[in-house]
Amino acid sequence: MAACIGVAFALSGVPARADVRIQYDPGGHLGAYSARLEQIRRSGERVIIDGPCMSACTLVLGMLPRGRVCATRNAVFGFHAAWYTDGSTRTPSSKATRFMLSHYPSQVRSWIAKRGGLTPRMLLMRGNELDAVVAPCEGVS
């Protein structure tokens, strides 16, 4: 039945919206994440965080409207300072770390600051702390 509805929307010229579900995302290159999140923002899709969302994945908190991101009980956000890799060497990037911080909502920046800021050590946000930042997903199975 859902496939038929999707076909009807496509044929009528109205784009069908789908949810983007994140069940495990270890992060990656900031530029690639920024571009993907901009696509999602323009599409109107909702993002469901249903597991670990680490590193660059956390940009979802600031690059999408708050009402378009929700979290299940399985959600965990992991924050750390950014770096770049030259072969086998990780080099901290203060510029990329500032970029990430500038995209987080003030509530997230405050939470990070209270824990010593972004460093190579992973800071995990879950449970009640996460509930204060991201709306719970309603009617998601």
Side-chain angles (χ1 to χ4, degrees), residues 26 55 80-93 120-122:
S55 194
H80 65 81
W83 64 75
Y84 62 91
T85 304
D86 268 344
S88 63
T89 305
R90 281 187 180 176
T91 304
S93 173
R121 181 178 55 91
M122 186 73 74

Side-chain angles (χ1 to χ4, degrees), residues 19-101:
D19 290 340
V20 174
R21 183 180 294 261
I22 296 173
Q23 292 180 303
Y24 176 74
D25 190 327
H29 188 269
L30 288 177
Y33 274 80
S34 295
R36 174 68 178 127
L37 290 170
E38 178 59 25
Q39 280 182 322
I40 291 170
R41 188 188 65 73
R42 284 193 314 266
S43 77
E45 294 170 306
R46 175 176 70 158
V47 175
I48 299 167
I49 308 298
D50 190 27
C53 175
M54 306 294 175
S55 194
C57 176
T58 62
L59 288 173
V60 71
L61 294 171
M63 295 189 73
L64 296 179
R66 182 178 169 128
R68 297 239 317 272
V69 178
C70 69
T72 70
R73 290 185 312 254
N74 301 322
V76 178
F77 284 91
F79 304 89
H80 65 81
W83 64 75
Y84 62 91
T85 304
D86 268 344
S88 63
T89 305
R90 281 187 180 176
T91 304
S93 173
S94 58
K95 181 179 178 180
T97 299
R98 283 192 307 273
F99 172 85
M100 291 181 72
L101 281 170

